[in-house]
Amino acid sequence: MEIPTDVPIAEHPFKEYFKGFERLPAVREIFGNETDRVLQELRVEFFSSKFGYMGVSDEDGHLVVSAYYLKNGDPVSKYLDIVHELVHVRQYREGKPLFDESFEYHERPTELEAYSHAVKEARRLGMSDEEIFEYLKVDWMSEEEVRKLSRTLDVKPPPRRVHGERVR
Ligand SMILES: [Zn+2]
């Protein structure tokens, strides 16, 4: 038998699949004058799995996106996730560590910066604090961690639910 050590990874030009992002103020705010060049150079790799959404490779900074999520995800969440991930693309180019394990996910500076761009765009879209809070919920954060992240981002968490009822 044989197990390969170097396999091809299918990467595509970001702009071939994600159109018009270079024109969005939310994206230009991330990259400034470099917006056109960065998006021109950016590559995207699609993977097929029900688990996971999007990320940025810590090996070379390309975007990694779940085909399943693109097909089944909520459109607004997908859009805000792309804004979030593009912040990580910039951070990678700046040499910042994207997965600094000395911080919990919900307190990691690179995540807070990425979420702050996504939340700002969510507000511009007219989303309420409760809707943004729902967006922030992901399966790798506990309820307490989401609430903490939410408060850090100035998104007011909804009242806690007990036995399915709102607590006043
Ligand atoms: Zn992130």
Side-chain angles (χ1 to χ4, degrees):
M1 66 86 133
E2 185 180 321
I3 297 175
T5 53
D6 289 295
V7 292
I9 294 171
E11 291 180 16
H12 313 274
F14 173 80
K15 288 177 75 174
E16 197 172 293
Y17 291 90
F18 297 84
K19 314 256 189 197
F21 277 77
E22 66 280 3
R23 293 193 292 272
L24 300 177
V27 174
R28 301 204 75 89
E29 198 166 303
I30 296 168
F31 298 109
N33 292 335
E34 296 202 88
T35 304
D36 293 303
R37 189 164 62 82
V38 174
L39 292 197
Q40 186 69 38
E41 290 171 6
L42 184 60
R43 314 278 294 173
V44 58
E45 170 193 350
F46 299 111
F47 68 96
S48 173
S49 164
K50 287 185 181 176
F51 179 80
Y53 307 95
M54 297 185 194
V56 168
S57 161
D58 59 352
E59 197 168 34
D60 64 7
H62 74 268
L63 202 58
V64 181
V65 179
S66 158
Y68 180 85
Y69 180 50
L70 287 177
K71 190 177 287 249
N72 298 290
D74 164 65
V76 174
S77 297
K78 286 188 285 189
Y79 169 59
L80 295 177
D81 283 3
I82 294 167
V83 171
H84 176 120
E85 295 305 330
L86 288 177
V87 176
H88 288 324
V89 167
R90 195 198 70 210
Q91 292 166 339
Y92 179 87
R93 296 172 68 96
E94 291 169 345
K96 291 181 180 162
L98 296 185
F99 302 102
D100 186 347
E101 294 295 333
S102 59
F103 294 96
E104 299 272 354
Y105 176 82
H106 67 284
E107 295 174 332
R108 196 172 295 150
T110 49
E111 292 303 334
L112 297 181
E113 187 187 22
Y115 275 114
S116 74
H117 280 262
V119 166
K120 185 178 176 192
E121 186 62 359
R123 291 203 188 285
R124 197 192 61 79
L125 294 174
M127 287 169 71
S128 67
D129 281 41
E130 191 155 354
E131 286 168 333
I132 298 172
F133 182 79
E134 283 302 312
Y135 165 71
L136 294 175
K137 285 185 182 176
V138 283
D139 34 24
W140 58 86
M141 276 191 283
S142 70
E143 169 90 11
E144 274 318 304
E145 289 169 345
V146 180
R147 285 180 175 276
K148 183 138 193 281
L149 171 65
S150 183
R151 287 190 297 268
T152 306
L153 297 168
D154 282 322
V155 175
K156 191 171 173 285
R160 287 166 201 279
R161 290 167 190 271
V162 175
H163 305 305
E165 297 292 328
R166 291 291 176 85
V167 181
R168 294 188 189 278

